[in-house]
């Protein structure tokens, strides 16, 4: 990196009139740098890249709306200078600039150079790919594939292009939504590759649930989005970015065209260009001006840059259109609107991160520990560093410390592995003692009952009778009746009115507290909650709203469909139908603290059992409270769910209209005030 920096400085000193350049300041940058925690929240980070230089002119050649940039294996830069209908070729030291295709190309928007130094240019307006040699001579052209599989009405307007070591070519064709156009080394069409899935909105989902597919297709066309850019790494893996795509903004495609990256790694961002770094790290730049660097697994390492808004500051962008990176992690980023190439160099901090990531990805966890410690010394919130140190500690068999590091990183899989070892160690050391204590207590209980059997039974019976004379305890103990004989339980609620609203509400409060207990005390291996963002008000609303909506909706449905249930009875019976949750949920949560992800099936089975049990009781609650048949009960549940949906939709629409009305009134008064 230092050698390249010295060469670049010498070039700038020797050729002051050759380039129009603005050197970036090493003392500060006009943007903040961020990384991401395990919950995808951006957190501040040390500066990773600083702007080194910007170019709008190379010798006698001025950029005009550049669209794409490519760095070949000789470190020569190729720029698709779209506005000038040419390809600029610039050598590594930026001492030799030449032009290709100036009188041939119509609108070059993508460029790629293969291992034989052949130059492939995606000419958007000409609707073809033109192949040049290094002398600038046209060798051949690729036009729209003339095969039935391509489709006679499918467009062929190549905008971006790249290829793999086997000679296969991947083309982004504007308006071709079946995926990338894949060609072999002879230019023959192999098929479409890696198409984006369709992303129907809520309106389409509602229409599809009401009308047939034929009717929906006649009114609404849901088609996949066309990719924005494509690149191929040294291992022939294909990467794409797609503008405005939720869940498919960045994709790493295997040989079957299946995405191997997390689908939520770039939600809400509009990606426009992508390239792959020396260690498989993924660089993207988006229309918002943000440059994002990920590791090979999709973990965000850095985000920096931002919108320039035509202030022409180094490090910011107006309309970024292309990105490339060399073996020294120097970034080359084009800006179409500013007709500019910006170069960024990594900082010492980013250099250490790259060393740590490289060692970590190769499985050299112990070797990566020292650079990760350096990273944490500069940024204690860097979750990937905690994860890396956790893996090193796991290798060192420091399992408890590894658990702490994995917990800080939010890495549940690693925490589970470390906890497995800690638990095994505890069992080996304490299991004999545990069995001795259990056997001793069992023997003592048996002997005590044998000697004092009558007295024991008498004491227990007296205590139980006295407790049952207390009305509150009697009503709470009705939970036991719901567990053992729910049909008698619902009968006593409806016919004998044994339960008050006060006690039912108290039990509902207990269930709410249990939900908070689950959030904060669920086993770390299973807990996906972000505790720092938990809002008590949000939890209250989330917990109260479903029961409130269910009780009201079911009462209204029963009122118009011969149901006998009163509002009070429905409310009380609904809460008591949740008895399995009230009794067993805390027990399952406590058990989860001793489980690892290897026992996830057991944990999920227990949770499913108590939820299904509660659902079973809710079903027969509706049946018994309203005195329905099985068929009427099923119909009532369906209508109740529909009523709840309509209530939620109505609330959202009303809130939206109320907000718009409030904004209108506010603006109206503001206008009157300003003019008055």
């Amino acid at each position: 990196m230092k050698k390249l920096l010295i060469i670049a400085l010498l070039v700038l000193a020797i050729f002051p009139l050759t380039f129009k350049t603005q050197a970036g300041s090493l003392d500060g940058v006009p943007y903040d740098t961020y990384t991401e925690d395990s919950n995808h929240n951006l957190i501040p980070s040390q500066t990773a890249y600083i702007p080194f230089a910007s170019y709008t002119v190379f010798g006698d050649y001025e950029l005009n709306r550049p669209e794409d940039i490519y760095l070949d294996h000789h470190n020569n830069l190729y720029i698709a200078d779209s506005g000038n209908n040419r390809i600029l070729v610039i050598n590594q030291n930026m001492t030799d600039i030449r032009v290709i295709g100036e009188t041939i190309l119509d609108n070059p928007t993508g460029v790629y150079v293969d291992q034989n130094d052949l130059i492939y240019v995606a000419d958007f307006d000409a609707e073809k790919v033109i192949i040049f040699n290094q002398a600038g001579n046209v060798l051949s052209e690729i036009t729209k594939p003339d095969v039935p599989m391509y489709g006679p009405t499918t467009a062929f307007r190549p905008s971006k292009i790249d290829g793999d070591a086997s000679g296969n070519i991947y083309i982004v064709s504007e308006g071709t939504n079946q995926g990338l156009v894949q060609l072999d080394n002879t230019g023959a069409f192999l098929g479409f590759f890696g198409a984006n899935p369709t992303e129907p909105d809520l309106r389409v989902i509602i229409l599809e649930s009401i009308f047939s597919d034929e009717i929906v297709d006649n009114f609404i066309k849901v088609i996949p989005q066309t990719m924005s850019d494509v690149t191929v790494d040294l291992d022939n893996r294909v990467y794409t970015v797609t503008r405005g795509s939720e869940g498919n903004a960045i994709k790493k495609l295997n040989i079957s065209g299946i995405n191997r990256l997390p689908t939520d790694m770039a939600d809400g961002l509009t990606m426009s260009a992508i390239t792959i770094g020396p260690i498989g790290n993924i660089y993207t730049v988006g229309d918002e001006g943000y440059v994002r660097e990920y590791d090979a697994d999709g973990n965000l390492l850095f985000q920096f840059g931002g919108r320039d808004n035509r202030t022409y500051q180094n490090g910011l962008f107006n309309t970024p259109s292309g990105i490339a990176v060399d073996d020294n992690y120097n970034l080359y980023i084009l800006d179409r609107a500013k007709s500019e190439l910006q170069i960024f160099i990594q900082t010492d901090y980013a250099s250490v991160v790259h060393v740590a990531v490289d060692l970590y990805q190769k499985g050299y966890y112990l070797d990566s520990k020292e650079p990760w410690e350096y990273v944490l010394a500069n940024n204690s919130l860097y979750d990937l560093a905690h994860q890396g140190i956790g893996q090193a500690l796991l290798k060192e068999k420091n399992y408890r410390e590894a658990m702490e590091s994995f917990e800080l990183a939010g890495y549940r899989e690693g925490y589970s592995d470390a906890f497995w070892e800690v638990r095994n160690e505890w069992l080996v050391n304490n299991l004999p003692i545990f069995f001795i204590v259990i056997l001793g207590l069992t023997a003592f209980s048996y002997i005590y009952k044998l000697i004092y059997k009558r007295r024991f039974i008498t004491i227990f019976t007296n205590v139980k009778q006295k407790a049952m004379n207390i009305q509150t305890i009697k009503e709470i103990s009705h939970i036991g009746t719901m567990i053992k004989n729910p049909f008698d339980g619902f009968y006593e609620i409806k016919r004998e009115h044994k339960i008050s609203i006060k006690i039912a509400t108290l039990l509902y409060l207990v269930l709410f507290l249990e939900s908070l207990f689950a959030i904060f005390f669920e086993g770390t291996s299973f807990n996906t909650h972000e505790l720092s963002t938990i809002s008590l008000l949000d939890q209250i609303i989330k917990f109260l709203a479903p029961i409130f909506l269910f009780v009201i909706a079911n009462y209204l449905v029963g009122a118009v469909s011969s149901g006998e249930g009163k509002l009070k009875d429905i409310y009380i019976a609904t809460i008591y139908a949740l008895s399995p949750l009230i009794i067993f949920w805390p027990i399952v949560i406590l058990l989860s603290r001793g489980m690892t992800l290897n026992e996830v099936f057991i944990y999920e089975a227990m949770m499913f059992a108590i939820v299904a049990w509660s659902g079973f009781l809710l079903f027969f609650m509706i049946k018994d409270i309203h005195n329905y048949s099985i068929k009427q009960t099923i119909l009532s549940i369906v209508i109740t769910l529909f009523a709840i949906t309509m209530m939620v939709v109505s609330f959202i629409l009303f809130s939206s209209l109320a907000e718009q009305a409030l904004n209108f009134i506010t603006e109206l008064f503001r206008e009157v005030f300003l003019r008055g």
Side-chain angles (χ1 to χ4, degrees):
M1 183 183 74
K2 291 182 178 179
K3 182 179 179 181
L4 183 62
L5 181 60
I6 292 172
I7 292 173
L9 289 172
L10 287 174
V11 170
L12 293 177
I14 296 172
F15 298 95
L17 300 178
T18 305
F19 305 114
K20 243 185 359 192
T21 144
Q22 300 172 335
S25 171
L26 298 180
D27 297 326
V29 292
Y31 49 76
D32 295 319
T33 301
Y34 297 91
T35 185
E36 202 172 55
D37 65 16
S38 58
N39 295 295
H40 301 294
N41 298 313
L42 292 177
I43 56 176
S45 173
Q46 260 67 17
T47 300
Y49 292 88
I50 55 176
F52 171 67
S54 64
Y55 301 90
T56 57
V57 174
F58 296 89
D60 296 328
Y61 305 107
E62 184 174 1
L63 292 177
N64 184 11
R65 291 188 293 106
E67 286 285 351
D68 196 17
I69 186 169
Y70 190 86
L71 191 68
D72 70 7
H73 54 281
H74 304 297
N75 281 331
N76 296 318
L77 283 174
Y78 296 77
I79 298 176
D81 192 12
S82 178
N84 291 315
N85 302 327
R86 64 192 179 191
I87 302 295
L88 289 181
V89 183
I90 306 162
N91 71 342
Q92 180 178 7
N93 298 327
M94 297 191 177
T95 56
D96 181 31
I97 301 100
R98 54 196 176 90
V99 173
I100 287 178
E102 193 165 25
T103 60
I104 300 170
L105 299 171
D106 290 338
N107 182 19
T109 56
V111 60
Y112 156 67
V113 182
D114 68 11
Q115 293 181 331
N116 298 317
D117 295 330
L118 299 181
I119 306 166
Y120 293 72
V121 180
D123 196 330
F124 186 78
D125 286 354
E127 300 185 2
K128 58 187 175 182
V129 173
I130 304 177
I131 304 173
F132 297 88
N133 61 17
Q134 287 293 320
N137 300 317
V138 176
L139 301 181
S140 61
E141 296 180 351
I142 299 173
T143 57
K144 178 179 176 179
D146 187 18
V147 292
M149 186 170 61
Y150 192 86
T153 61
T154 303
F156 185 72
R157 305 197 73 185
S159 59
K160 302 294 180 181
I161 186 171
D162 209 326
D164 60 27
S166 301
N168 296 317
I169 304 300
Y170 301 89
I171 301 170
V172 175
S173 174
E174 186 70 28
T176 305
N177 49 57
Q178 295 96 323
L180 299 169
V181 179
Q182 185 180 8
L183 310 174
D184 66 12
N185 54 7
T186 66
F189 179 63
L190 297 178
F192 295 104
F193 184 75
N196 287 323
T198 56
E199 299 177 358
D201 55 21
L202 180 60
R203 177 174 58 109
V204 175
I205 293 173
I206 293 174
L207 286 174
E208 286 180 341
S209 65
I210 298 174
F211 301 105
S212 66
D213 293 340
E214 183 179 356
I215 294 175
V216 173
D217 290 340
N218 288 333
F219 288 93
I220 298 177
K221 298 293 184 183
V222 181
I223 58 176
Q225 293 175 288
T226 302
M227 289 89 164
S228 307
D229 195 12
V230 60
T231 191
V232 182
D233 67 13
L234 295 177
D235 295 319
N236 294 335
R237 287 183 290 254
V238 179
Y239 301 74
T240 65
V241 289
T242 304
R243 281 187 175 89
S245 177
E246 293 291 338
N248 296 285
I250 305 173
K251 295 199 300 184
K252 177 182 180 180
L253 303 170
N254 63 12
I255 193 171
S256 301
I258 298 173
N259 183 22
R260 309 307 300 176
L261 290 174
T263 57
D264 58 349
M265 59 185 287
D267 281 351
L269 295 175
T270 304
M271 300 288 120
S272 55
I274 186 171
T275 193
I276 307 302
I279 57 175
N281 44 333
I282 305 166
Y283 293 90
T284 67
V285 63
D287 293 346
E288 299 88 351
Y290 294 116
V291 182
R292 292 168 70 93
E293 179 186 358
Y294 303 87
D295 70 6
D297 297 321
N299 299 302
L300 181 67
L301 301 180
F302 304 111
Q303 174 182 299
F304 65 94
R307 178 73 70 175
D308 191 355
N309 294 323
R310 298 191 179 277
T311 57
Y312 291 90
Q313 292 189 69
N314 277 356
L316 301 179
F317 306 94
N318 190 299
T319 311
S321 54
I323 184 170
V325 61
D326 63 24
D327 291 339
N328 295 305
Y329 299 93
N330 300 308
L331 291 176
Y332 305 83
I333 304 176
L334 291 175
D335 192 314
R336 182 194 308 114
K338 295 164 66 174
S339 296
E340 179 182 58
L341 169 67
Q342 292 197 53
I343 300 177
F344 294 79
I345 58 177
Q346 68 172 343
T347 62
D348 291 339
Y349 174 74
S351 176
V352 175
V353 171
H354 290 141
V355 170
V357 169
D358 188 28
L359 292 170
Y360 180 81
Q361 290 179 161
K362 291 176 179 176
Y364 303 143
Y365 299 131
L366 292 176
D367 294 334
S368 71
K369 185 178 179 182
E370 184 177 347
W372 281 133
E373 288 174 340
Y374 172 86
V375 173
L376 283 182
N378 288 273
N379 185 358
S380 62
L381 299 177
Y382 206 100
D383 281 358
L384 194 58
H386 285 295
Q387 182 175 323
I389 289 178
Q391 292 286 13
L393 292 169
L394 198 61
K395 284 286 185 181
E396 294 174 345
K397 298 185 178 181
N398 294 328
Y399 301 124
R400 293 188 182 276
E401 293 182 26
M403 284 171 56
E404 295 175 3
S405 292
F406 286 134
E407 187 170 9
L408 288 171
Y411 184 49
R412 296 187 296 125
E413 291 80 2
Y415 179 92
S416 176
D417 292 340
F419 180 62
W420 173 275
E421 300 293 344
V422 171
R423 189 181 65 179
N424 284 349
E425 182 181 340
W426 184 90
L427 288 173
V428 169
N429 295 332
N430 296 280
L431 199 57
I433 299 174
F434 178 76
F435 278 120
I436 290 171
V437 171
I438 293 296
L439 288 173
L441 291 175
T442 303
F444 175 79
S445 174
Y446 178 76
I447 294 170
Y448 182 84
K449 288 181 181 180
L450 189 63
I451 297 174
Y452 301 101
K453 185 174 182 180
R454 290 185 178 179
R455 185 178 176 186
F456 179 81
I457 294 174
T458 302
I459 293 173
F460 178 78
T461 303
N462 291 336
V463 171
K464 181 180 178 181
Q465 287 177 349
K466 289 180 180 179
M468 294 304 292
N469 289 331
I470 302 173
Q471 183 62 27
T472 299
I473 296 178
K474 186 177 181 180
E475 292 184 28
I476 292 175
S477 67
H478 192 71
I479 288 179
T481 305
M482 297 300 303
I483 296 296
K484 293 183 292 185
N485 195 336
F487 302 104
D488 288 348
F490 292 131
Y491 179 84
E492 291 173 3
I493 289 174
K494 178 182 177 182
R495 303 297 181 186
E496 299 180 7
H497 308 292
K498 286 188 174 182
I499 310 301
S500 65
I501 292 179
K502 179 180 69 174
I503 298 302
T505 304
L506 176 64
L507 289 176
Y508 193 42
L509 176 61
V510 169
L511 189 58
F512 171 69
L513 294 176
E514 289 178 1
S515 72
L516 296 180
F517 178 76
I519 290 173
F520 288 96
F521 291 97
E522 186 179 30
T524 305
S525 298
F526 307 100
N527 198 330
T528 59
H529 297 96
E530 187 179 356
L531 301 183
S532 60
T533 62
I534 296 296
S535 166
L536 182 60
L537 179 60
D538 287 345
Q539 294 305 312
I540 291 173
I541 293 173
K542 289 178 182 178
F543 201 79
L544 289 179
I547 294 294
F548 172 79
L549 291 173
F550 176 80
V551 171
I552 295 298
N554 188 255
Y555 169 73
L556 294 175
V557 170
V560 299
S561 59
S562 304
E564 297 180 2
K566 297 179 181 179
L567 184 61
K568 172 186 173 182
D569 295 339
I570 296 173
Y571 172 70
I572 294 173
T574 297
I575 293 172
Y576 272 83
L578 302 176
S579 295
L581 273 173
I582 296 173
I583 295 175
F584 297 109
W585 194 6
I587 298 173
V588 174
I589 294 303
L590 289 174
L591 290 175
S592 74
R593 297 188 65 81
M595 294 181 178
T596 69
L597 289 177
N598 294 316
E599 293 88 44
V600 65
F601 171 75
I602 299 174
Y603 175 72
E604 291 178 348
M606 290 190 297
M607 287 301 302
F608 175 80
I610 59 176
V611 171
W613 193 353
S614 297
F616 172 83
L617 294 182
L618 278 172
F619 179 88
F620 283 97
M621 180 276 294
I622 295 173
K623 178 182 181 300
D624 290 356
I625 293 297
H626 289 294
N627 196 19
Y628 283 154
S629 65
I630 295 293
K631 182 178 179 181
Q632 288 175 316
T633 303
I634 295 173
L635 183 61
S636 174
I637 291 173
V638 172
I639 299 175
T640 298
L641 293 176
F642 179 77
I644 291 173
T645 303
M646 291 299 99
M647 291 166 69
V648 172
V649 170
S650 298
F651 175 78
I652 293 173
L653 290 176
F654 177 78
S655 299
S656 177
L657 291 173
E659 183 180 1
Q660 293 181 20
L662 181 62
N663 291 337
F664 173 76
I665 294 172
T666 302
E667 291 297 324
L668 182 62
F669 274 101
R670 184 178 298 168
E671 187 73 17
V672 171
F673 176 77
L674 290 175
R675 295 192 177 187

